[in-house]
């Protein structure tokens, strides 16, 4: 079952536009949403939440059109943004008390269980929480009303490596039942390499790729070699070529690597894919 379907999303500004953004996410998976700053990630997420009103396109949550059914759809949504702002002087229990009023499916026992799991004390004030604890609190609120789809925007930003790894393991555990999915927007692509099943890559307001992570990484290879080799190479097969005093490096489709005998061929990371593909723009 598709928990999220984005079809033909368009939004025009004076200096930027989302153009026919389409992708979908079935239950039981984590999708990494990547792209450089200004590529359209936040605009897309805000459009899904109706914080930005798109000019065209359709959003469906659990098969239900978001337009005209916003209240019902949001019952199945959980949102956790990195650096989430709450009233700093308020205690966690007070914020939870306000939040539960909006969700008929709110489960007090589930909330208490998540507080225990995340090692959160709801007597604490927001100002006493670390960045990682704020994200976990956002997740506790989202999961306590049985959200099926989690939208996470830079949830690991600013966290130390250990805290990031803990959250990534948590995200993986949250989808184990196969009933919940996560759309995870981040610049820290190494986190996605650990946990994502799918990658959606947006560039300049358009979807460049939306597919299984492993199949995307398998499509490309890094090609490195001396400048003499570059001079003889078919440059039309190279993507985002970089030249330096020691030689060159570029991205190439895996099927084209046989065209570069003598070159060093290696797998590319998600970060390297972004760097070279965006350099080709």
């Amino acid at each position: 079952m598709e928990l999220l379907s984005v079809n033909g999303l368009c939004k025009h500004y004076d200096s930027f536009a989302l153009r026919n953004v389409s992708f979908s996410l079935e239950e039981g998976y984590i999708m990494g949403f990547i792209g450089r700053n200004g590529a359209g990630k936040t605009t897309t997420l805000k459009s899904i939440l109706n914080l930005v009103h798109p000019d065209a396109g359709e959003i469906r949550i659990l098969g239900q059109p978001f337009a005209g059914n916003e209240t019902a759809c949001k019952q199945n949504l959980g949102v956790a943004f990195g650096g989430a702002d709450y009233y700093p002087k308020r205690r966690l229990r007070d914020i939870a008390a306000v939040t539960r009023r909006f969700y008929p499916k709110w489960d007090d026992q589930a909330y208490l269980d998540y507080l225990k799991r995340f090692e959160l004390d709801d007597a604490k004030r927001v100002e006493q929480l670390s960045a990682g604890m704020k994200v976990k609190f956002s997740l506790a609120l989202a999961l306590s009303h049985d959200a099926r789809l989690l939208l996470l925007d830079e949830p690991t930003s600013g966290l130390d490596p250990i805290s990031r790894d803990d959250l990534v393991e948590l995200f993986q555990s949250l989808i184990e039942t196969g009933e919940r999915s996560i759309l995870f927007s981040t610049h820290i692509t190494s986190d996605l390499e650990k946990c994502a099943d799918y990658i959606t890559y947006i560039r300049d307001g358009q979807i460049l790729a939306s597919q299984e992570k492993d199949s995307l990484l398998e499509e490309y290879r890094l090609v490195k070699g001396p400048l003499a080799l570059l001079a003889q190479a078919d440059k039309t097969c190279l993507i985002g070529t970089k030249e330096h005093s020691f030689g060159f490096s570029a991205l190439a489709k895996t099927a084209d690597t046989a065209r570069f005998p003598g070159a060093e061929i290696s797998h590319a990371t998600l970060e390297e894919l972004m760097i070279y593909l965006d350099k080709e723009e």
Side-chain angles (χ1 to χ4, degrees), residues 65-76:
F66 195 92
N69 301 285
E70 182 171 345
T71 300
C73 286
K74 284 186 174 179
Q75 294 298 316
N76 290 298

Side-chain angles (χ1 to χ4, degrees), residues 212-273:
E212 290 185 355
K213 177 190 67 182
D214 291 343
S215 71
L216 176 62
L217 290 172
E218 192 60 32
E219 282 187 15
Y220 297 93
R221 292 289 187 270
L222 277 180
V223 180
K224 297 179 181 180
L227 291 175
L229 177 61
L230 179 62
Q232 303 169 8
D234 182 358
K235 297 182 182 62
T236 61
C237 295
L238 296 175
I239 302 168
T241 303
K242 297 181 180 181
E243 297 184 30
H244 45 79
S245 59
F246 298 103
F248 78 96
S249 63
L251 201 66
K253 288 293 186 77
T254 301
D256 292 330
T257 55
R259 297 172 179 261
F260 308 102
E264 177 187 340
I265 309 296
S266 61
H267 289 270
T269 64
L270 284 174
E271 181 175 320
E272 288 167 335
L273 281 184

Side-chain angles (χ1 to χ4, degrees), residues 32 41 53 68 80 103 133 167 231 248-249 256 268:
K41 299 190 303 300
H53 302 293
Y103 297 102
M133 291 169 71
L167 279 180
F248 78 96
S249 63
D256 292 330

Side-chain angles (χ1 to χ4, degrees), residues 39-50:
K41 299 190 303 300
T42 299
T43 301
T44 300
L45 291 174
K46 286 184 176 180
S47 295
I48 292 172
L49 294 168
N50 202 30

Side-chain angles (χ1 to χ4, degrees), residues 16 19 33-41 186-187 189 199-209 216 220 222 238-242 250-252 269-281:
F16 172 78
R19 290 169 284 182
F33 193 31
I34 63 174
R36 69 188 305 173
N37 286 336
K41 299 190 303 300
T186 184
H187 288 113
T189 53
I199 296 294
T200 293
Y201 178 17
I202 189 169
R203 185 178 73 181
D204 193 25
Q206 300 181 83
I207 299 299
L208 189 66
L216 176 62
Y220 297 93
L222 277 180
L238 296 175
I239 302 168
T241 303
K242 297 181 180 181
L251 201 66
T269 64
L270 284 174
E271 181 175 320
E272 288 167 335
L273 281 184
M274 286 183 62
I275 290 171
Y276 285 94
L277 288 171
D278 265 86
K279 184 177 174 64
E280 186 70 5
E281 186 177 8

